[in-house]
Amino acid sequence: MNYFKEKNIFSGLIALLLLWACQPEANNDLSPIIDQIKSEFAPDKRVALFNLAYEGDTLKGETNLPNALETLESKLDSMGLEYINEVKLLPDADLEGKTHGVVTISVANIRSAPKHSAELATQATMGTPLGVLKKAGSWYLVQTPDKYISWVDAAGIALMDEKEFQAWEDAEKVIFTGLLGYVYEDKSEQMMVSDLTAGNVLEVKANAQNHYEVQLPDGRSGYINKQSAAPFHSWLGTRELSDENLINTAKNMMGVPYLWGGTSIKGVDCSGFTKTIYYLNGQVIPRDASQQVHEGELVDTDKNWDNLRVGDLLFFGRKATDDRPERIVHVGMWIGDNSFIHSRGRVRISSFDPSSPNYDEYELGRYLRTKRIRQVPSENIISVDKVIN
């Protein structure tokens, strides 16, 4: 072969190798970049979606975080990477603007997957507004006011567009203040339209002597007795995180059975119980114990019960070791007199006083620390009036 021809072929091969070597590493694997942005914008998958992958020359997946997606796109553009963007930004366009939902039943079960057999992740009570992200069969992926993302059966919510949701927001409302009750077909209170649980919110259509005529978010209507309801904004005005209010609300739920994922009077898990106590006193706090523990001020780690005040949250679990991290598995609320109230098996009162009949050696043994969230500002703790107008 001609020397010059061989040289040209060799030079061409070198040029191709250099060109290949200079391509961004992301051509082969973008996962480190995706993971970095996910850790920055969506470190907790319970409250944010950023499920992306790079396959071949295509960016795929879905997210409800436009800022995170824009950051990733800017990063890839700065690398000079050419790619096909097939990422679905939620809420899904297929919803055709119906991106709001309002719970229409006393307690909606919100599950970890779109099927009734899936784990119960959390609950939402009647009148709770939800952000709707997408649909799968007869299920909707929704985000609750505490940002939790899970699936709810279509039968449990009313879908609304922006105008419909604003109309519901602007409507006069009442809140059910009893523990358990009913909406009735008429004032005779004979036939039931729906059951009710504490904290349910309904629209007022008329105000009679002994009843409110109400409308549920899905359009059903009926009557509730005034003795078990109050105008929503009047009720809000009475909500203060006083010792008496917190203790009374908690003790009114004594004996309610433990339910994994429960956040209502029908059944509560440990963090669902503390969440419900605060909700019925006007505050929305994070859903899980492992989230609640990051709020507020540290009060105690040394079992100095004199430092604790009513409403403080006590956290229990496994201490960190050299080879494994701390694990928060339980939470309760301090009620004074060396005692706290919590949901374990059922809502109960436990004591750290060895002479008390409620002495709880088991919880004492796994106690980790106490946090004070009452009247401690946080972007993750919001007033109920910021959720329901």
Side-chain angles (χ1 to χ4, degrees), residues 9-275:
I9 293 173
F10 181 73
S11 298
L13 289 171
I14 293 296
L16 286 172
L17 288 171
L18 288 173
L19 181 63
W20 175 83
C22 291
Q23 289 296 309
E25 290 183 16
N27 259 325
N28 300 319
D29 185 10
L30 280 182
S31 57
I33 297 172
I34 293 173
D35 290 345
Q36 178 185 2
I37 292 175
K38 184 174 184 176
S39 66
E40 178 183 353
F41 288 90
D44 188 344
K45 66 180 181 180
R46 293 169 292 187
V47 298
L49 282 176
F50 195 75
N51 300 326
L52 272 62
Y54 185 72
E55 300 175 4
D57 61 350
T58 304
L59 190 62
K60 300 180 178 181
E62 61 184 11
T63 180
N64 68 328
L65 304 173
N67 290 342
L69 181 58
E70 289 173 7
T71 300
L72 176 59
E73 291 169 342
S74 296
K75 176 67 174 176
L76 301 185
D77 292 342
S78 70
M79 295 166 57
L81 181 65
E82 294 184 4
Y83 59 96
I84 300 170
N85 190 340
E86 293 184 353
V87 175
K88 181 176 288 187
L89 187 60
L90 303 178
D92 194 337
D94 290 343
L95 294 171
E96 298 180 342
K98 300 272 189 178
T99 58
H100 298 280
V102 180
V103 177
T104 64
I105 54 180
S106 62
V107 180
N109 292 324
I110 303 179
R111 301 189 178 276
S112 59
K115 54 185 178 180
H116 287 290
S117 59
E119 176 187 47
L120 182 63
T122 190
Q123 294 178 321
T125 53
M126 183 185 295
T128 300
L130 306 170
V132 182
L133 299 176
K134 67 176 183 177
K135 183 180 182 181
S138 63
W139 292 78
Y140 288 94
L141 186 67
V142 297
Q143 188 163 30
T144 61
D146 54 21
K147 305 302 181 184
Y148 225 76
I149 297 174
S150 289
W151 294 88
V152 65
D153 189 319
I157 64 172
L159 286 181
M160 300 180 184
D161 60 23
E162 195 66 41
K163 183 178 180 180
E164 292 166 330
F165 181 69
Q166 191 59 55
W168 186 87
E169 286 256 282
D170 293 342
E172 181 184 356
K173 300 181 183 70
V174 293
I175 186 167
F176 182 71
T177 55
L179 295 180
L180 297 167
Y182 302 97
V183 177
Y184 294 99
E185 282 189 350
D186 55 44
K187 297 174 187 177
S188 70
E189 300 187 5
Q190 297 299 309
M191 296 297 292
M192 184 180 78
V193 174
S194 174
D195 72 322
L196 295 171
T197 61
N200 285 180
V201 176
L202 307 99
E203 180 180 346
V204 178
K205 303 304 290 183
N207 190 342
Q209 182 176 359
N210 298 315
H211 295 83
Y212 291 110
E213 183 181 355
V214 295
Q215 181 170 297
L216 284 67
D218 59 4
R220 288 177 294 160
S221 61
Y223 295 82
I224 58 174
N225 196 296
K226 282 187 172 180
Q227 292 184 347
S228 59
F232 181 71
H233 287 287
S234 298
W235 173 83
L236 268 181
T238 67
R239 297 302 91 192
E240 59 174 325
L241 299 175
S242 65
D243 292 2
E244 181 180 11
N245 281 359
L246 291 171
I247 290 174
N248 286 344
T249 300
K251 286 187 174 181
N252 278 340
M253 295 178 68
M254 283 287 287
V256 168
Y258 181 92
L259 174 65
W260 178 270
T263 63
S264 75
I265 193 69
K266 292 184 177 181
V268 286
D269 59 23
C270 63
S271 57
F273 178 54
T274 52
K275 177 179 171 59

Side-chain angles (χ1 to χ4, degrees), residues 1-11:
M1 183 178 289
N2 182 283
Y3 168 77
F4 294 103
K5 190 174 182 179
E6 287 185 348
K7 184 177 180 181
N8 288 337
I9 293 173
F10 181 73
S11 298

